[in-house]
Amino acid sequence: MSSSDFRQIAIRTQSGKAERLFRAAVSAFCSLTRPSRREIGQLEDLTLPLFDDVSVESRRYVAAALSECEYAPAALVRRLCEEPVDIAAPLLIRSRAVSDIDLIALIGRHGLPHARAIARRKDLNPTIADLIRALDRPTLVRTRDPEAAPAQSLVVKAQATADSAETQQTPGVAAESARRKLRSMMRTGDQALAAKIDAFPGADTFVKLRETALTGNAAFFHTALADALDIDFSIAQSLTAHQNYAPLLAALRSLDFSEDRAFLITVAVYPGLFPHPQAIRAYLDRYRLLHRDAALDMVREWKAETLSKTVRGKPPANGDSRRASNSDEADAPGLRASSRK
């Protein structure tokens, strides 16, 4: 679907019929067999500004349509999942665009109604299923075979007795306890992800870039960026040499980061460039409109420059950068500012 298709929909509904535009755009999108990233972004750009102006019935219709869509736009799906369960239920039950972390967050925010809908998902994470059961039926605790694991069975029974006594003393405490467990799962997942940077040499690229950007030491970040893009350290250094995040935006887009991940890294490098919501929105718009193929072309040029340096007999500077990583002179202006915050 091209932008002209969306424009034709808008022309037919220019009389302020947000309702029909909202439905028509989603219906047209769902008819696509394999939408491109750009088409997904176009749908989000068109529908999210209309969201507050459409009726409950239209939201329910769109939620049902997107629940069957294999490539549903994540931002629109998340917005619909925050609606009451009579609207969000089809997405909670079927949508592939909702991750386990999203499900945990939704249960933590909305409690039992959303949890019961999520419990109907096929292939639901067993841990989430157990916590939903604890939230729904706090006195039911699944125990193992006493003969297979007698010691563990006793511990589980003791925990069940304690939970039951606590429930009798304070109504609703089991539900809140389940929510705490869900939040704990989210925190544990974040901590495990962050720990990868020290545990494994090939740790997650986003974690490396995020953690090095947040140190405030430019050399750390430039080394991680050079490794991620497979370019020379001096080229990675030049991407943040000026108060213009366009080169860094292209680098992050080439790595196919989501908007929120890219923005987190960028604001850590350039904290002074986002003093108000309009600046943040401008960044997200630019990131969304930058096609990944264009970003990859820029990275190829940087790699070609790295190769030309090697051919000329000048080795890549990545190794030297590590020796200078503790030097204050290596810090870029943006990173020095972030370290003071």
Side-chain angles (χ1 to χ4, degrees), residues 29 32-35 40 43 66 68-74 96-97:
F29 178 84
L32 299 175
T33 305
R34 193 178 180 87
I40 293 172
L43 181 66
L66 292 177
E68 304 288 349
C69 185
E70 186 174 359
Y71 301 98
R96 297 181 182 179

Side-chain angles (χ1 to χ4, degrees), residues 149-318:
Q152 189 171 9
S153 178
L154 289 173
V155 171
V156 171
K157 287 180 180 178
Q159 182 63 47
T161 304
D163 289 346
S164 177
E166 189 179 13
T167 303
Q168 292 173 1
Q169 292 172 5
T170 311
V173 72
E176 182 56 33
S177 175
R179 286 196 183 96
R180 282 198 301 271
K181 290 178 183 177
L182 289 167
R183 296 187 189 108
S184 175
M185 282 178 63
M186 294 181 70
R187 286 195 297 270
T188 302
D190 289 342
Q191 291 166 0
L193 191 62
K196 284 183 180 180
I197 190 166
D198 296 322
F200 303 103
D204 181 82
T205 301
F206 165 70
V207 176
K208 281 186 175 180
L209 292 175
R210 181 191 67 187
E211 296 304 312
T212 53
L214 291 173
T215 63
N217 187 308
F220 286 155
F221 177 72
H222 293 144
T223 300
L225 187 61
D227 291 343
L229 299 176
D230 194 21
I231 60 176
D232 186 57
F233 174 82
S234 62
I235 298 173
Q237 201 173 28
S238 70
L239 301 187
T240 61
H242 308 288
Q243 290 298 308
N244 174 14
Y245 58 69
L248 179 60
L249 182 143
L252 299 177
R253 189 72 182 85
S254 73
L255 295 170
D256 206 20
F257 287 158
S258 61
E259 295 169 12
D260 53 342
R261 287 188 167 195
F263 177 72
L264 176 59
I265 293 172
T266 306
V267 77
V269 178
Y270 295 106
L273 294 186
F274 303 97
H276 46 72
Q278 288 80 3
I280 298 173
R281 176 170 291 279
Y283 173 88
L284 296 177
D285 287 342
R286 289 182 66 179
Y287 191 80
R288 200 177 293 128
L289 292 172
L290 177 61
H291 200 281
R292 186 165 181 247
D293 289 342
L296 288 170
D297 286 341
M298 296 180 70
V299 173
R300 290 187 191 101
E301 291 179 8
W302 299 333
K303 288 184 177 181
E305 188 177 344
T306 298
L307 182 60
S308 69
K309 286 185 177 182
T310 304
V311 171
R312 292 196 305 267
K314 181 180 180 181
N318 298 43

